[in-house]
Amino acid sequence: MSFAVIQMVSQDDVLANLAEARRLLSDAAEQGAQLAVLPENFAAMGRRDLAALGRAEAVGEGPILPWLQQTARDLGLWIVAGTIPLPPDGQPDAKAHACSLLIDNQGQRAARYDKLHLFDVDVSDSHGRYRESDDYAFGAQVVVADTPVGRLGMTVCYDLRFPELYGNLRAAGAELISIPAAFTAVTGEAHWQVLTRARAIETQCYVLACGQGGSHPGGRQTFGHSALIDPWGRVQAELPAGPGVLVSKRDASEQASIRQRMPVAQHKRFFAAAEPRLPALEKL
């Protein structure tokens, strides 16, 4: 049960990014991965025409979705497609979501997760002001789905700071959690590694933490440090910067042993208060 994360340094040229992603996914497949995670904004980084890109994909006129389907079939690989701008199904003129798609090895969509927490934050870097909600609508569902390497909980980047989401994923049976991201260099240096390890330890899940790692249009710098982390919080592999592939395996017996020896899910005493905005769980 092998899986991979793909680190990229995506630019604003969609076709060039797709060619680079294909090269890296091929490498992952050759190393035996059955599932691979692409980073947030893998196909387009720094573009200001996200609404137009999303609309084109929704009506079948964009390059990204056909590329995903063909690549998954060609490589026999399940792909977590980082994020792409995509309106709600059947609503091509609606505001796009930061959408993470799970594509199976036959090129079919197995799950869709729309990013719940949008990065509306001020950062002490050259970019300064980040307002994802200017371009994207908020997601509304927690998503878990079955894959060949285990039950996958899907999250994106800024979600990492909200442990309640990860607790819901564990309660829904998640055994692995994908975190495609484009953490800024400043916030990544401060918090990325401690948060990714914490989410693995809290949920006793494998964490597939997949980042952008380098320089992008507009002077944006991303932190990189993509990592594969086991349910005990041990970093199995890490890539500081630049494009590359990390591959590891899930040891289901060890994971079950960790959960049996330290049954934190059964020991839980505090639960989040019910809120009208609490998202529904989509089980796939």
Side-chain angles (χ1 to χ4, degrees), residues 191-229:
H191 300 141
W192 169 256
Q193 289 153 313
V194 67
L195 285 173
T196 52
R197 291 189 66 204
R199 298 295 87 89
I201 294 165
E202 291 166 352
T203 63
Q204 298 173 318
C205 286
Y206 285 87
V207 162
L208 285 61
C210 180
Q212 296 275 357
S215 300
H216 310 276
R220 183 169 176 178
Q221 298 286 324
T222 49
F223 184 64
H225 292 270
S226 295
L228 296 168
I229 304 169

Side-chain angles (χ1 to χ4, degrees), residues 97-108:
H97 291 279
C99 175
S100 185
L101 294 175
L102 175 64
I103 307 297
D104 71 17
N105 61 353
Q106 301 301 311
Q108 300 300 308

Side-chain angles (χ1 to χ4, degrees), residues 10-14 17 43-47 217:
S10 298
Q11 304 298 308
D12 56 8
D13 184 330
V14 172
N17 292 332
M45 191 81 171
R47 297 278 291 254

